[in-house]
Amino acid sequence: MSKAVQIVQAFYDAVSRADAATVVSLLHPDLHWTEAEGFPYYSGTWRRPQEVLDKLLVPLARDWIDFSAVADDFIVEGDRVVSLGVYSGVNKATGKAMRAPFAHVWRVADGKLARFDMYTDTLLIDRAMQQRHGGGNDGAQIGS
């Protein structure tokens, strides 16, 4: 396993343990972190490790039961790692379970995670976070 993959895997392991100090220690001080634009916690590109903690990890812990990001496949090219996996969890507000495949593109520099770009089906996550409204008719009526 390459050093870059080991660093990425250490990040996932720290997240699974809710080990915020280790997560922050793995992030490069000159960070470029971008969640998928439709992701509920997206707010542009974050540039500091503390932003990842405050804008992502704290809200995830607040909003989800057993949230996990499990990567089970890694594609490596030099200092770049693509991890493929699945998000899962149960939304605390709605009680709805969520499972959404993801691809994460990482760049490692100076032994730290310097760049992160997320790709996932954000609609699957959004659906788990939404209370159902309306009178039971989920679709448009066709015809008369």
Side-chain angles (χ1 to χ4, degrees):
M1 185 181 307
S2 79
K3 181 69 174 166
V5 171
Q6 290 174 345
I7 294 166
V8 169
Q9 187 61 57
F11 177 87
Y12 291 116
D13 292 344
V15 168
S16 73
R17 296 188 311 270
D19 182 351
T22 298
V23 166
V24 170
S25 76
L26 290 168
L27 300 175
H28 198 283
D30 183 19
L31 185 63
H32 185 278
W33 186 286
T34 308
E35 297 288 313
E37 197 166 323
F39 194 63
Y41 310 110
Y42 171 82
S43 62
T45 297
W46 305 330
R47 304 297 294 186
R48 295 178 298 114
Q50 189 65 38
E51 288 182 283
V52 175
L53 181 63
D54 296 342
K55 295 179 180 181
L56 179 64
L57 300 180
V58 168
L60 286 171
R62 175 195 68 215
D63 297 343
W64 297 90
I65 299 166
D66 296 327
F67 182 88
S68 69
V70 177
D72 55 13
D73 195 11
F74 299 92
I75 303 162
V76 184
E77 175 80 25
D79 65 353
R80 296 189 189 280
V81 177
V82 176
S83 56
L84 305 173
V86 175
Y87 292 124
S88 63
V90 175
N91 186 262
K92 289 180 181 178
T94 66
K96 293 179 186 176
M98 173 273 301
R99 183 173 169 81
F102 67 73
H104 294 160
V105 180
W106 302 89
R107 188 175 63 78
V108 176
D110 308 319
K112 302 264 187 186
L113 300 170
R115 183 173 179 124
F116 170 86
D117 292 287
M118 172 215 272
Y119 301 90
T120 191
D121 185 343
T122 58
L123 182 60
L124 295 174
I125 298 158
D126 185 63
R127 283 179 179 161
M129 297 179 80
Q130 298 304 315
Q131 296 285 353
R132 187 176 172 144
H133 298 288
N137 183 0
D138 290 338
Q141 293 294 319
I142 299 175
S144 48

